[in-house]
Amino acid sequence: MSSKTMKVIRLHEHGGPEVLRYEEVPVPGLKPGEVLVRAHAVGINPPDWYLRDGMQNLPPETRPKFDFPVIPGTDVSGVVESVAPDVDGFAVGDEVFGLLRFPSFDGSTYAEYVAAPAAHLARKPAGIDHVRAAGAAMSGLTAWQFLIERGHDHPSPFQEARHRPVPLGPGTTVLVNGAAGGVGHFALQLAKWKGAHVIAVGAGAQEPFLRELGADEFIDYTVSRAEEVARDVDLVIDTVGGPTSSRFFQSIKRGGSLFPVFFGEYDADEAARLQITVSGTQVRSNGAQLAELGALLDDGTVRVAIDGTFPLAQARQAHERAARGNIQGKLVLTVAGS
């Protein structure tokens, strides 16, 4: 451990946003294969509050094990401060971003300094700032691994079959449920990048935002039930998932697919009768894929929308904002002195 200290957010118990504590701890040392990143910005994601509240929404057998105290967070963008001797490809001063050690909960990014596996990092796109880069990692990779390329052979804890993205292109219709959220706004843009016709589902006030990102059609879920409006869809990517995901069966054409991002509950016999493939995967850290996504972020093909930023010390307020819902894009913590 270093004698140098840093500010972090830690959990000593499960609970609401009030259990997030702003504390001082030693800067982490480096293990082989790691670089030390001075954080400029930290992305906030649903697994952060799953960890905080004890992951009550996950099946008990899929809940990761960890010990208190724990520093939450998986997404970081910052500058390389030091490099382990065995690391090639990164040097002190490089601007980098990444999703760290996911699906474990050992990312520990709610901190001024983060020890990061080099394989989980990519160079930050020059065309975007650290706030947007930090907002892109988990959500962008989730959309990428669901829609473009899985990029790993690890089985999902929620299904036996391996997830296979659907070929997308002109003539393909994709419905994105929760299109204004973190994963949703990336999924919309990646489907458009591939040439698909995209139907975005969101709240009425989100329509201008989603149209600007490229949505061809918009369904206001506060006025209409999307599954009763949309028809002959090739793919529904449901970023909400859960027990109501199978309602989209009536929107999907025979031979189509439903991808619940948060595991969906459905009747397998009904899916087979309708010839609908229901599939999901669990996003995993992947620096090489993040570099591919980074090229799209760099040239503006894909944008990162930021709902709001909070200083690291105000992580509690950021989690309270997340709990209120209707987030348009991403919430990000900024790190003082960066």
Side-chain angles (χ1 to χ4, degrees):
M1 282 292 218
S2 166
S3 59
K4 189 176 179 182
T5 62
M6 64 176 181
K7 296 292 190 182
V8 301
I9 297 292
R10 288 203 298 183
L11 298 169
H12 294 262
E13 60 186 325
H14 293 305
E18 72 282 352
V19 302
L20 295 166
R21 297 193 200 170
Y22 188 55
E23 299 179 332
E24 193 161 311
V25 302
V27 171
L30 292 183
K31 297 174 183 174
E34 293 183 341
V35 303
L36 185 68
V37 177
R38 180 177 177 83
H40 285 230
V42 175
I44 295 177
N45 296 288
D48 302 354
W49 52 87
Y50 301 162
L51 173 66
R52 191 201 71 222
D53 69 15
M55 291 171 282
Q56 298 303 310
N57 59 340
L58 293 178
E61 66 276 9
T62 69
R63 294 174 191 166
K65 304 292 186 289
F66 57 89
D67 298 316
F68 289 121
V70 61
I71 300 171
T74 60
D75 287 4
V76 68
S77 183
V79 177
V80 174
E81 183 91 355
S82 60
V83 180
D86 64 333
V87 169
D88 294 319
F90 292 110
V92 173
D94 285 347
E95 294 189 313
V96 295
F97 74 129
L99 164 67
L100 307 186
R101 302 185 186 89
F102 201 79
S104 82
F105 283 79
D106 302 323
S108 303
T109 62
Y110 283 28
E112 291 182 320
Y113 291 90
V114 179
H120 297 172
L121 296 173
R123 293 184 185 278
K124 181 187 76 65
I128 62 173
D129 59 16
H130 285 291
V131 167
R132 283 173 170 76
M138 173 176 279
S139 294
L141 272 182
T142 300
W144 189 275
Q145 291 178 11
F146 267 81
L147 293 180
I148 309 300
E149 182 187 11
R150 188 179 65 241
H152 61 81
D153 290 326
H154 296 273
S156 167
F158 308 123
Q159 66 183 44
E160 290 183 14
R162 285 193 175 167
H163 177 75
R164 287 180 172 80
V166 171
L168 301 176
T172 310
T173 298
V174 177
L175 182 146
V176 183
N177 187 41
V183 175
H185 88 290
F186 285 112
L188 187 168
Q189 294 178 85
L190 290 175
K192 285 301 297 179
W193 171 57
K194 287 296 189 180
H197 179 92
V198 179
I199 304 168
V201 181
Q206 295 167 338
E207 181 172 6
F209 166 66
L210 294 171
R211 294 278 190 186
E212 190 180 341
L213 292 183
D216 298 290
E217 298 179 51
F218 173 78
I219 299 173
D220 181 353
Y221 71 81
T222 69
V223 174
S224 308
R225 295 179 65 85
E227 70 274 15
E228 295 175 358
V229 176
R231 287 289 177 270
D232 295 322
V233 173
D234 295 286
L235 169 64
V236 171
I237 180 160
D238 180 10
T239 70
V240 181
T244 65
S245 195
S246 62
R247 64 194 169 97
F248 287 108
F249 281 180
Q250 61 189 296
S251 297
I252 300 171
K253 65 173 61 169
R254 189 170 290 270
S257 298
L258 170 64
F259 291 173
V261 174
F262 191 78
F263 61 93
E265 298 172 22
Y266 66 98
D267 184 327
D269 291 336
E270 183 187 10
R273 180 176 61 80
L274 297 171
Q275 296 177 18
I276 291 172
T277 298
V278 182
S279 181
T281 186
Q282 187 171 47
V283 64
R284 300 187 79 90
S285 300
N286 189 314
Q289 286 184 325
L290 207 52
E292 291 186 75
L293 177 62
L296 301 180
L297 296 169
D298 203 18
D299 67 14
T301 299
V302 173
R303 290 171 40 206
V304 187
I306 302 298
D307 183 275
T309 61
F310 296 79
L312 178 66
Q314 293 181 16
R316 172 181 176 169
Q317 290 90 328
H319 277 230
E320 289 170 346
R321 167 67 190 95
R324 292 196 295 272
N326 279 331
I327 296 169
Q328 193 162 284
K330 296 290 299 184
L331 296 169
V332 175
L333 300 173
T334 56
V335 182
S338 298

